[in-house]
Amino acid sequence: MAALQPGFVRTYAHKKVVILKTGLSIGDEDAVLIAPLISAKPPAATRGVEVKTGYGRRWVLIGQLNTVKPAGLITVWKGPDRLKPDQMKIVLQELDK
C-alpha cells in the first residue's frame, strides 16, 4: 500500500473519509486524522467544508474528526481518490479556525 498522505480519500467503517493529518499516534502505533466525505449538503449545524471534485461537489465534515489507525483504512474504488492540493488547503484552513 502506498504511504498515506493528507488529501487521500479512503473508506473507514463503510464510509468515505479524507485523511487530514498523518504522523499522529495512538499509544505506540501510528495514526491519522480523518473526516467524513459526503455528497449531500450537511445540515447547517454540522461544520463542513465544500470541495469540488471531478465527481461533483462534496463536503468534508470537519466537525466529525476521528483519529484512527491506518490499518482500518481501505482503498476507495468509486468516486474521488484524493482531493486536489488547492481544495485540501481550504479544508485545512477551516480546520485551523
Side-chain angles (χ1 to χ4, degrees), residues 1 4 11-12 29-32 68-74:
M1 178 196 283
L4 296 175
T11 301
Y12 182 78
E29 297 187 42
D30 291 337
V32 294
V68 300
K69 297 175 186 175
L73 299 172
I74 301 170

Side-chain angles (χ1 to χ4, degrees), residues 10 15-16 25 29 39 41 44 47 59 68 72 81 83 92 95:
R10 294 291 185 262
K15 296 182 181 181
K16 288 187 182 177
S25 62
E29 297 187 42
S39 59
K41 187 172 182 176
R47 190 170 170 216
W59 283 264
V68 300
D81 62 349
L83 297 182
L92 293 176
L95 182 63

Side-chain angles (χ1 to χ4, degrees), residues 1-2 6 12 18 22 24 26 30 32 36 38 48-50 54 56 68 70 72 83:
M1 178 196 283
Y12 182 78
V18 176
T22 59
L24 306 175
I26 297 176
D30 291 337
V32 294
I38 62 171
V49 179
E50 183 179 0
V68 300
L83 297 182

